[in-house]
Amino acid sequence: MTDTPTVPPTGRAFDVEHVLAGLTLEEKASLLSGLDFWTTQPVDRPEVAVPGVMVTDGPHGLRKQADSPDHLGLGTSVPATCFPTAATLGSTWDPDLLRRIGAALGRETRANDVAVLLGPGINIKRSPLNGRNFEYLSEDPVISGELGTALVEGVQSQGVGTSLKHFAANNQEADRMRVSADVDERTLREIYLPGFERVVKRAQPWTVMCSYNRINGVYASQNHWLLTEVLRDEWGFEGLVVSDWGAVRDRVAAVAAGLDLEMPASGGRRDAEVVAAVREGRLAQDVVDVAARRVLRMVARALPALDAPGTYDADAHHALAREAAAAGTVLLKNDVVPGPAGAHGAPLLPLATPADVAVVGELARTPRYQGAGSSQVNPTRLDDALSALRAATGADVPFAAGYTVDGADLGSGTDEAALRAQAVEVARDAGTVLVFLGLPASYESEGFDRTHLDLPAGQVALLEAVSAVNPRVVVVLANGSAVAVAPWQHLAPGLVEGWLGGQAGGSGVVDVLLGAVNPAGRLAETLPLRLADTPSYGNFPGELGHVRYGEGVLVGYRWYDARQADVAYPFGHGLSYTTFAYDGVAAEVLRPATADADAVVRVRARVTNTGGRAGAEVVQVYVGDPAAQVLRPERELKAFAKVDLAAGESRELVFDLSGRDLAYWHPVLRRWVVEGGEFVVSVGASSRDLRGAVTVQVDGEDVRLPLGPLSTVAEAMTHPVVGPRVEAMVHGGGVAEDMLGMIGDMPLTVVADFGMGGFDQGALAALLAEADG
């Protein structure tokens, strides 16, 4: 089959302004809600015609339901390539790969007469318990924004649209349709919004999907600050805002706030509410016109591809899915294991003698390759690791199930203990045992959150039994979010995180185990030691309709690094079958910094492949601001690059950091500021594996707050104009030394009320006038 060209041909003529002018108010209102679960409403009369277009899930593969559309994935959907989930794609740290995957998703979307693919999801992984974490890329907004941008660019290169979701602060499934995410603006601006901002500004997705939840008490679907002031006025979003399915509580308020399209259909009830609001003067006609125009523009953009859908190469897409599954596989641990009779030891991976391998674990035969909920894809084919390993080695690799998956029928006379016993016998004499463990589908899904980080107890018992008879154990994980590995990882010299690798995940992880692919995946989320160590512990998932984001900006690795807390594996971690050395880390200040200045600091680092085979390293650049007026993380990821190096090859990388990379959101001034001073720029292989750091002095902005009656004496003493007079007043006013700390923290108006040292309200007024210049 032939792939659809990247540039779509010209389709039906569709003059948006002419069509809009010919619509009645009722017809305009009808455009603002769906015809059914997946299709926008058409208008069809002799004078004017607007075709309906189809939108459909999902982020990692097309889920177009052929019949009984029910939104929850229970109806039959057309076969489509199930690419790795976002948990896997995030661990690739590879925008170029994700752009190619996006183009493939776009081809399949187009070939199936779908106008908009509902994805990608780029919400931050605030807690590893979020049941939908497998659909999201990272705990860090730079990773989410860069990879989200690549996916959007790839999909939309094929003449179909995307829906960036879920906007915003949608970080749990518990009570997701009502809960209020209570979060301060600085935390929103620095953690939960920047990924969306990056994608909107760089890739202009056709649509943005609002989330179900409230944000500080206001539903996202009717949040004017979020949908209009931030998304459109500040970021310049040009597309359409669509609701998540069933997210609209007040349709008229939502239209006024900037929500254009409500999905799914409401049977005309919501349309009538909009019309009535206009007729009664509660909603301006112009607001309806603006929303209808945005829907018409989306329809117009979709028509060329709908007129020439093209085809796609299913085999090529499966191969791409396999490449992506391997690229997102993270080698967490690969300890040296002594050889027989005291021979020189070596790591277990890559498998040196694959013919001497045994496989244990039902997940090797019955793969868990995607998450549950609205993103479920009907794959074009499905690889399992056991079959892939047998095909690659040409050997009848011994296998034992060891446990059941989600309570499968064991048959008469068989129980979990018997399955473990069989596995022990298979493992006893093997050269190396591959133990496939992971989370069953019932543990994590859209619609509910996890309650713990543990693997099923039966799987851990299997590992304990197998390792007791054979120390040469490699654990291969299948899971959509972080699991606790600390209680059992000492039993396995090798540990591989395969995530949910899509329909080719089985063959992709085997490529890594055998060394056909050198592992280059890196963790896009921290693996904690315990649930109690996680940043949102005690606040997640909230109670009585509210969830408090009490950790503020200290999310993910920012939390652990600020506390110097131990973790199982840090953000950015991942091993290779080769080694890399860093040198030449340097940083040069190019110009004074403001929040919107480009190329403020230029960072250089040289990386060398010091091992014996080709491999890829992910070079990570972190920035710290140790002397800011506000609490800032110890370090924050600001740039990264994945670089392929032959054995012995060196390459210098250059990163330009902008003013925004140095800035923080000032909670009083309510804008981005770059506070001048020393910044620490670190380059390394993870947030804990820093290979070089330099300090740079940056000339920034004067971010002192203006003096007012409630300014403290200490703040006034540092003011460049009146500071010396205030200091002289304090020290000359007979204040005892042991009282200086208390006085310094007093508001000026309190000192004036006390009349200390002759300083009264009149003197305060004169002082403030002088300070204002």
PDB file of all heavy atoms in Angstrom, residues 13 74 81 142 151 203 233 238 253 258 286 333 388 415 443 446 457 486 559 589-590 667 689 698 728 733 750 763:
ATOM      1  N   ALA A  13     -14.320  23.307  -2.025  1.00  0.00           N
ATOM      2  CA  ALA A  13     -14.256  24.709  -1.637  1.00  0.00           C
ATOM      3  C   ALA A  13     -15.190  24.944  -0.461  1.00  0.00           C
ATOM      4  O   ALA A  13     -16.318  24.454  -0.437  1.00  0.00           O
ATOM      5  CB  ALA A  13     -14.652  25.585  -2.822  1.00  0.00           C
ATOM      6  N   LEU A  74     -16.145  -0.287  24.493  1.00  0.00           N
ATOM      7  CA  LEU A  74     -16.805  -1.584  24.525  1.00  0.00           C
ATOM      8  C   LEU A  74     -17.284  -2.006  23.141  1.00  0.00           C
ATOM      9  O   LEU A  74     -17.494  -3.190  22.899  1.00  0.00           O
ATOM     10  CB  LEU A  74     -17.996  -1.543  25.502  1.00  0.00           C
ATOM     11  CG  LEU A  74     -17.644  -1.094  26.922  1.00  0.00           C
ATOM     12  CD1 LEU A  74     -18.900  -1.061  27.788  1.00  0.00           C
ATOM     13  CD2 LEU A  74     -16.611  -2.014  27.539  1.00  0.00           C
ATOM     14  N   THR A  81      -2.851   0.361  14.160  1.00  0.00           N
ATOM     15  CA  THR A  81      -1.587   0.099  14.845  1.00  0.00           C
ATOM     16  C   THR A  81      -1.653   0.629  16.268  1.00  0.00           C
ATOM     17  O   THR A  81      -1.934   1.805  16.487  1.00  0.00           O
ATOM     18  CB  THR A  81      -0.422   0.768  14.107  1.00  0.00           C
ATOM     19  OG1 THR A  81      -0.439   0.379  12.732  1.00  0.00           O
ATOM     20  CG2 THR A  81       0.911   0.375  14.733  1.00  0.00           C
ATOM     21  N   VAL A 142       9.101  20.041  30.446  1.00  0.00           N
ATOM     22  CA  VAL A 142       9.955  20.158  29.254  1.00  0.00           C
ATOM     23  C   VAL A 142       9.839  18.901  28.398  1.00  0.00           C
ATOM     24  O   VAL A 142       9.674  18.973  27.175  1.00  0.00           O
ATOM     25  CB  VAL A 142      11.419  20.437  29.650  1.00  0.00           C
ATOM     26  CG1 VAL A 142      12.338  20.344  28.432  1.00  0.00           C
ATOM     27  CG2 VAL A 142      11.534  21.818  30.287  1.00  0.00           C
ATOM     28  N   LEU A 151       4.701  15.011  18.475  1.00  0.00           N
ATOM     29  CA  LEU A 151       3.550  14.204  18.101  1.00  0.00           C
ATOM     30  C   LEU A 151       2.532  15.029  17.322  1.00  0.00           C
ATOM     31  O   LEU A 151       1.995  14.581  16.291  1.00  0.00           O
ATOM     32  CB  LEU A 151       2.897  13.605  19.340  1.00  0.00           C
ATOM     33  CG  LEU A 151       3.600  12.393  19.957  1.00  0.00           C
ATOM     34  CD1 LEU A 151       3.040  12.098  21.339  1.00  0.00           C
ATOM     35  CD2 LEU A 151       3.453  11.172  19.054  1.00  0.00           C
ATOM     36  N   ALA A 203       3.342  24.274  17.731  1.00  0.00           N
ATOM     37  CA  ALA A 203       2.704  23.347  16.790  1.00  0.00           C
ATOM     38  C   ALA A 203       1.260  23.698  16.465  1.00  0.00           C
ATOM     39  O   ALA A 203       0.713  23.146  15.519  1.00  0.00           O
ATOM     40  CB  ALA A 203       2.764  21.915  17.350  1.00  0.00           C
ATOM     41  N   ASP A 233      -5.318  34.616  24.551  1.00  0.00           N
ATOM     42  CA  ASP A 233      -4.743  35.961  24.587  1.00  0.00           C
ATOM     43  C   ASP A 233      -3.251  35.938  24.843  1.00  0.00           C
ATOM     44  O   ASP A 233      -2.497  36.705  24.222  1.00  0.00           O
ATOM     45  CB  ASP A 233      -5.449  36.800  25.656  1.00  0.00           C
ATOM     46  CG  ASP A 233      -6.931  36.999  25.373  1.00  0.00           C
ATOM     47  OD1 ASP A 233      -7.352  36.769  24.217  1.00  0.00           O
ATOM     48  OD2 ASP A 233      -7.671  37.367  26.310  1.00  0.00           O
ATOM     49  N   GLU A 238      -4.928  29.425  18.082  1.00  0.00           N
ATOM     50  CA  GLU A 238      -5.772  29.800  16.954  1.00  0.00           C
ATOM     51  C   GLU A 238      -6.891  28.805  16.672  1.00  0.00           C
ATOM     52  O   GLU A 238      -7.731  29.054  15.801  1.00  0.00           O
ATOM     53  CB  GLU A 238      -4.899  29.939  15.689  1.00  0.00           C
ATOM     54  CG  GLU A 238      -3.816  31.002  15.821  1.00  0.00           C
ATOM     55  CD  GLU A 238      -2.803  30.950  14.685  1.00  0.00           C
ATOM     56  OE1 GLU A 238      -2.913  30.032  13.833  1.00  0.00           O
ATOM     57  OE2 GLU A 238      -1.904  31.803  14.654  1.00  0.00           O
ATOM     58  N   ALA A 253     -22.367  29.365  30.108  1.00  0.00           N
ATOM     59  CA  ALA A 253     -21.131  29.856  30.730  1.00  0.00           C
ATOM     60  C   ALA A 253     -19.903  29.347  29.989  1.00  0.00           C
ATOM     61  O   ALA A 253     -18.903  30.063  29.872  1.00  0.00           O
ATOM     62  CB  ALA A 253     -21.083  29.431  32.192  1.00  0.00           C
ATOM     63  N   GLY A 258     -15.127  30.545  26.389  1.00  0.00           N
ATOM     64  CA  GLY A 258     -14.241  30.217  25.282  1.00  0.00           C
ATOM     65  C   GLY A 258     -14.247  28.770  24.865  1.00  0.00           C
ATOM     66  O   GLY A 258     -13.396  28.349  24.077  1.00  0.00           O
ATOM     67  N   ASP A 286     -22.191  37.870  19.158  1.00  0.00           N
ATOM     68  CA  ASP A 286     -20.823  37.832  18.648  1.00  0.00           C
ATOM     69  C   ASP A 286     -20.038  36.665  19.231  1.00  0.00           C
ATOM     70  O   ASP A 286     -19.182  36.083  18.558  1.00  0.00           O
ATOM     71  CB  ASP A 286     -20.097  39.140  18.971  1.00  0.00           C
ATOM     72  CG  ASP A 286     -20.610  40.308  18.139  1.00  0.00           C
ATOM     73  OD1 ASP A 286     -21.380  40.063  17.193  1.00  0.00           O
ATOM     74  OD2 ASP A 286     -20.252  41.461  18.458  1.00  0.00           O
ATOM     75  N   LYS A 333      18.910  -1.783  35.652  1.00  0.00           N
ATOM     76  CA  LYS A 333      19.947  -2.434  36.445  1.00  0.00           C
ATOM     77  C   LYS A 333      20.554  -3.553  35.622  1.00  0.00           C
ATOM     78  O   LYS A 333      19.839  -4.290  34.937  1.00  0.00           O
ATOM     79  CB  LYS A 333      19.302  -2.995  37.717  1.00  0.00           C
ATOM     80  CG  LYS A 333      20.209  -3.747  38.656  1.00  0.00           C
ATOM     81  CD  LYS A 333      19.389  -4.285  39.845  1.00  0.00           C
ATOM     82  CE  LYS A 333      20.237  -5.059  40.824  1.00  0.00           C
ATOM     83  NZ  LYS A 333      19.429  -5.630  41.923  1.00  0.00           N
ATOM     84  N   ALA A 388       8.523 -14.011  20.261  1.00  0.00           N
ATOM     85  CA  ALA A 388       9.596 -13.233  19.635  1.00  0.00           C
ATOM     86  C   ALA A 388      10.963 -13.778  19.994  1.00  0.00           C
ATOM     87  O   ALA A 388      11.870 -13.842  19.147  1.00  0.00           O
ATOM     88  CB  ALA A 388       9.480 -11.771  20.063  1.00  0.00           C
ATOM     89  N   ASP A 415      -3.293 -24.622  40.934  1.00  0.00           N
ATOM     90  CA  ASP A 415      -3.401 -23.380  41.687  1.00  0.00           C
ATOM     91  C   ASP A 415      -2.104 -22.604  41.529  1.00  0.00           C
ATOM     92  O   ASP A 415      -1.165 -23.038  40.846  1.00  0.00           O
ATOM     93  CB  ASP A 415      -3.725 -23.648  43.156  1.00  0.00           C
ATOM     94  CG  ASP A 415      -2.679 -24.550  43.835  1.00  0.00           C
ATOM     95  OD1 ASP A 415      -1.550 -24.669  43.303  1.00  0.00           O
ATOM     96  OD2 ASP A 415      -2.991 -25.109  44.891  1.00  0.00           O
ATOM     97  N   TYR A 443      -5.339  -3.247  37.578  1.00  0.00           N
ATOM     98  CA  TYR A 443      -4.653  -2.394  38.533  1.00  0.00           C
ATOM     99  C   TYR A 443      -4.635  -0.919  38.118  1.00  0.00           C
ATOM    100  O   TYR A 443      -4.495  -0.043  38.976  1.00  0.00           O
ATOM    101  CB  TYR A 443      -3.204  -2.863  38.726  1.00  0.00           C
ATOM    102  CG  TYR A 443      -3.015  -3.930  39.773  1.00  0.00           C
ATOM    103  CD1 TYR A 443      -3.846  -5.042  39.815  1.00  0.00           C
ATOM    104  CD2 TYR A 443      -1.996  -3.849  40.704  1.00  0.00           C
ATOM    105  CE1 TYR A 443      -3.658  -6.040  40.763  1.00  0.00           C
ATOM    106  CE2 TYR A 443      -1.795  -4.838  41.661  1.00  0.00           C
ATOM    107  CZ  TYR A 443      -2.643  -5.926  41.682  1.00  0.00           C
ATOM    108  OH  TYR A 443      -2.448  -6.913  42.624  1.00  0.00           O
ATOM    109  N   GLU A 446      -8.043   4.219  33.005  1.00  0.00           N
ATOM    110  CA  GLU A 446      -8.869   5.419  33.049  1.00  0.00           C
ATOM    111  C   GLU A 446     -10.064   5.134  33.949  1.00  0.00           C
ATOM    112  O   GLU A 446     -10.640   4.051  33.931  1.00  0.00           O
ATOM    113  CB  GLU A 446      -9.359   5.782  31.648  1.00  0.00           C
ATOM    114  CG  GLU A 446     -10.292   6.974  31.618  1.00  0.00           C
ATOM    115  CD  GLU A 446     -10.840   7.278  30.247  1.00  0.00           C
ATOM    116  OE1 GLU A 446     -10.466   6.577  29.285  1.00  0.00           O
ATOM    117  OE2 GLU A 446     -11.656   8.213  30.130  1.00  0.00           O
ATOM    118  N   ALA A 457       1.122  -9.835  44.784  1.00  0.00           N
ATOM    119  CA  ALA A 457       1.913 -10.634  45.733  1.00  0.00           C
ATOM    120  C   ALA A 457       2.351 -11.954  45.126  1.00  0.00           C
ATOM    121  O   ALA A 457       3.469 -12.438  45.404  1.00  0.00           O
ATOM    122  CB  ALA A 457       1.106 -10.872  47.007  1.00  0.00           C
ATOM    123  N   ALA A 486      11.981  -1.585  45.106  1.00  0.00           N
ATOM    124  CA  ALA A 486      12.923  -1.735  46.215  1.00  0.00           C
ATOM    125  C   ALA A 486      12.724  -3.008  47.029  1.00  0.00           C
ATOM    126  O   ALA A 486      13.712  -3.624  47.456  1.00  0.00           O
ATOM    127  CB  ALA A 486      12.842  -0.507  47.126  1.00  0.00           C
ATOM    128  N   TRP A 559      11.073  17.378  43.949  1.00  0.00           N
ATOM    129  CA  TRP A 559      10.794  17.074  45.364  1.00  0.00           C
ATOM    130  C   TRP A 559      11.931  16.255  45.980  1.00  0.00           C
ATOM    131  O   TRP A 559      12.472  16.592  47.037  1.00  0.00           O
ATOM    132  CB  TRP A 559       9.473  16.315  45.445  1.00  0.00           C
ATOM    133  CG  TRP A 559       9.121  15.740  46.777  1.00  0.00           C
ATOM    134  CD1 TRP A 559       9.457  14.505  47.263  1.00  0.00           C
ATOM    135  CD2 TRP A 559       8.338  16.358  47.799  1.00  0.00           C
ATOM    136  NE1 TRP A 559       8.928  14.306  48.512  1.00  0.00           N
ATOM    137  CE2 TRP A 559       8.237  15.440  48.871  1.00  0.00           C
ATOM    138  CE3 TRP A 559       7.709  17.597  47.914  1.00  0.00           C
ATOM    139  CZ2 TRP A 559       7.532  15.724  50.030  1.00  0.00           C
ATOM    140  CZ3 TRP A 559       7.006  17.878  49.075  1.00  0.00           C
ATOM    141  CH2 TRP A 559       6.925  16.956  50.110  1.00  0.00           C
ATOM    142  N   VAL A 589      27.562  33.391  29.159  1.00  0.00           N
ATOM    143  CA  VAL A 589      26.445  34.331  29.188  1.00  0.00           C
ATOM    144  C   VAL A 589      26.522  35.215  27.955  1.00  0.00           C
ATOM    145  O   VAL A 589      27.530  35.890  27.721  1.00  0.00           O
ATOM    146  CB  VAL A 589      26.460  35.174  30.469  1.00  0.00           C
ATOM    147  CG1 VAL A 589      25.299  36.167  30.468  1.00  0.00           C
ATOM    148  CG2 VAL A 589      26.382  34.278  31.701  1.00  0.00           C
ATOM    149  N   LEU A 590      25.459  35.226  27.165  1.00  0.00           N
ATOM    150  CA  LEU A 590      25.456  35.955  25.905  1.00  0.00           C
ATOM    151  C   LEU A 590      24.865  37.349  26.016  1.00  0.00           C
ATOM    152  O   LEU A 590      25.212  38.231  25.235  1.00  0.00           O
ATOM    153  CB  LEU A 590      24.672  35.165  24.849  1.00  0.00           C
ATOM    154  CG  LEU A 590      25.172  33.747  24.550  1.00  0.00           C
ATOM    155  CD1 LEU A 590      24.277  33.085  23.519  1.00  0.00           C
ATOM    156  CD2 LEU A 590      26.618  33.776  24.070  1.00  0.00           C
ATOM    157  N   PRO A 667       4.808  35.435  42.073  1.00  0.00           N
ATOM    158  CA  PRO A 667       3.432  35.331  42.546  1.00  0.00           C
ATOM    159  C   PRO A 667       2.787  36.669  42.885  1.00  0.00           C
ATOM    160  O   PRO A 667       1.559  36.753  42.955  1.00  0.00           O
ATOM    161  CB  PRO A 667       3.558  34.449  43.796  1.00  0.00           C
ATOM    162  CG  PRO A 667       4.969  34.606  44.236  1.00  0.00           C
ATOM    163  CD  PRO A 667       5.767  34.824  42.999  1.00  0.00           C
ATOM    164  N   ASP A 689      22.849  12.050  38.340  1.00  0.00           N
ATOM    165  CA  ASP A 689      24.139  11.672  37.735  1.00  0.00           C
ATOM    166  C   ASP A 689      24.625  12.848  36.908  1.00  0.00           C
ATOM    167  O   ASP A 689      24.537  12.864  35.685  1.00  0.00           O
ATOM    168  CB  ASP A 689      23.974  10.418  36.873  1.00  0.00           C
ATOM    169  CG  ASP A 689      25.297   9.921  36.305  1.00  0.00           C
ATOM    170  OD1 ASP A 689      26.350  10.483  36.674  1.00  0.00           O
ATOM    171  OD2 ASP A 689      25.266   8.991  35.479  1.00  0.00           O
ATOM    172  N   VAL A 698      24.362  36.064  35.824  1.00  0.00           N
ATOM    173  CA  VAL A 698      23.450  36.602  34.820  1.00  0.00           C
ATOM    174  C   VAL A 698      22.895  37.936  35.308  1.00  0.00           C
ATOM    175  O   VAL A 698      22.415  38.044  36.442  1.00  0.00           O
ATOM    176  CB  VAL A 698      22.290  35.622  34.547  1.00  0.00           C
ATOM    177  CG1 VAL A 698      21.296  36.219  33.566  1.00  0.00           C
ATOM    178  CG2 VAL A 698      22.843  34.305  34.024  1.00  0.00           C
ATOM    179  N   ALA A 728      19.101  53.995  59.227  1.00  0.00           N
ATOM    180  CA  ALA A 728      19.566  54.968  60.219  1.00  0.00           C
ATOM    181  C   ALA A 728      18.503  55.220  61.280  1.00  0.00           C
ATOM    182  O   ALA A 728      18.804  55.384  62.468  1.00  0.00           O
ATOM    183  CB  ALA A 728      19.932  56.280  59.532  1.00  0.00           C
ATOM    184  N   GLY A 733      17.190  54.887  66.620  1.00  0.00           N
ATOM    185  CA  GLY A 733      15.973  55.084  67.392  1.00  0.00           C
ATOM    186  C   GLY A 733      15.993  54.411  68.741  1.00  0.00           C
ATOM    187  O   GLY A 733      14.932  54.257  69.367  1.00  0.00           O
ATOM    188  N   VAL A 750       2.732  49.554  61.036  1.00  0.00           N
ATOM    189  CA  VAL A 750       2.678  49.233  62.461  1.00  0.00           C
ATOM    190  C   VAL A 750       3.703  50.062  63.221  1.00  0.00           C
ATOM    191  O   VAL A 750       3.423  50.602  64.305  1.00  0.00           O
ATOM    192  CB  VAL A 750       2.899  47.725  62.680  1.00  0.00           C
ATOM    193  CG1 VAL A 750       3.011  47.409  64.167  1.00  0.00           C
ATOM    194  CG2 VAL A 750       1.776  46.931  62.041  1.00  0.00           C
ATOM    195  N   ALA A 763       5.234  60.699  58.419  1.00  0.00           N
ATOM    196  CA  ALA A 763       6.587  60.375  57.971  1.00  0.00           C
ATOM    197  C   ALA A 763       6.571  59.176  57.019  1.00  0.00           C
ATOM    198  O   ALA A 763       7.341  59.124  56.051  1.00  0.00           O
ATOM    199  CB  ALA A 763       7.480  60.089  59.166  1.00  0.00           C
TER     200      ALA A 763
END
